Amino acid sequence: ESFARIVRAVRPDLICLQEIDPENAGELAPLMDRLLPLQNGLHWQSHFATNLDSVIASRYPLLWRTQEVAIPKPTDRPNFFDRGHVMCVVDLPDARIATDLLVLNTHFQAGGGEANIRARQIHADAIIRQIRTHVRGNEAASLRPGTPFLLIGDFNVYQSDPEDPTLHLTTLLTGNIVDEATFGPDIK
């Protein structure tokens, strides 16, 4: 009931959620159709992956969709999900905005300690590689120069460890990839 009230009050164009069971992620677009129906027979569209806990829903068409697993779930934790991101290009209405929007929704590994900090850094490097690939036109779904993008999610940034627990955030803000041997050069 609270979610419905908020959605009706805010009337979003786009919703990005994390910590959604992949088995239920496909229910977001139909839910949005009930809560905030679109005109002219149009329907909300969504993108999610069956092994990630993030979902994107849009009132506008999604031109392409992809996902990437950056960190596979631990084999000793069957109730965990892989860590990665879902990504799509939203076809914004040309009458209002002349360009499309790249949307990337993610959920980083939580917790302190070296292994979790390393997992967050690998994930951040993978995201920058993915953005670089699409911005530089190396993919079929390459983007026009100047295409805006939205990186949203649960970044799990906190300073609870003596190592640099925010390095992954620095990578996301600057495009400075730590493991260039695996993920390629920085994005500039």
Side-chain angles (χ1 to χ4, degrees):
E1 185 64 36
S2 314
F3 181 76
R5 182 178 44 78
I6 292 167
V7 164
R8 288 183 183 120
V10 174
R11 304 187 56 77
D13 293 332
L14 187 70
I15 293 181
C16 296
L17 301 175
Q18 304 82 39
E19 298 194 22
I20 301 297
D21 186 327
E23 291 184 16
N24 300 321
E27 298 174 18
L28 183 58
L31 174 64
M32 293 305 296
D33 280 335
R34 289 191 304 277
L35 297 178
L36 205 59
L38 304 178
Q39 298 175 356
N40 302 324
L42 298 175
H43 296 279
W44 282 79
Q45 295 187 24
S46 66
H47 175 50
F48 58 94
T50 58
N51 56 336
L52 300 174
D53 68 348
S54 300
V55 61
I56 298 170
S58 171
R59 70 172 52 239
Y60 303 116
L62 302 180
L63 297 179
W64 63 263
R65 309 158 198 221
T66 191
Q67 59 277 330
E68 179 179 24
V69 172
I71 308 291
K73 72 179 177 183
T75 55
D76 61 337
R77 297 177 135 170
N79 294 333
F80 275 48
F81 299 111
D82 294 330
R83 293 293 176 195
H85 42 276
V86 293
M87 186 171 167
C88 61
V89 171
V90 180
D91 183 13
L92 299 175
D94 293 338
R96 290 177 52 197
I97 301 170
T99 186
D100 299 323
L101 176 67
L102 172 64
V103 178
L104 196 148
N105 185 17
T106 189
H107 184 194
F108 279 77
Q109 179 64 42
E114 184 179 326
N116 291 325
I117 291 172
R118 186 173 52 253
R120 285 192 292 275
Q121 185 58 52
I122 290 168
H123 194 162
D125 286 352
I127 287 172
I128 296 302
R129 177 190 59 202
Q130 187 96 349
I131 292 170
R132 183 191 62 236
T133 298
H134 291 287
V135 167
R136 292 204 176 147
N138 298 332
E139 291 284 322
S142 62
L143 304 169
R144 291 185 297 182
T147 298
F149 67 89
L150 176 65
L151 174 57
I152 192 164
D154 182 346
F155 300 105
N156 280 312
V157 176
Y158 30 48
Q159 295 184 346
S160 61
D161 201 288
E163 297 294 321
D164 186 357
T166 62
L167 184 58
H168 71 288
L169 182 61
T170 301
T171 293
L172 296 174
L173 293 172
T174 66
N176 182 19
I177 291 175
V178 171
D179 183 0
E180 290 185 8
T182 302
F183 296 100
D186 300 341
I187 191 170
K188 305 214 188 277

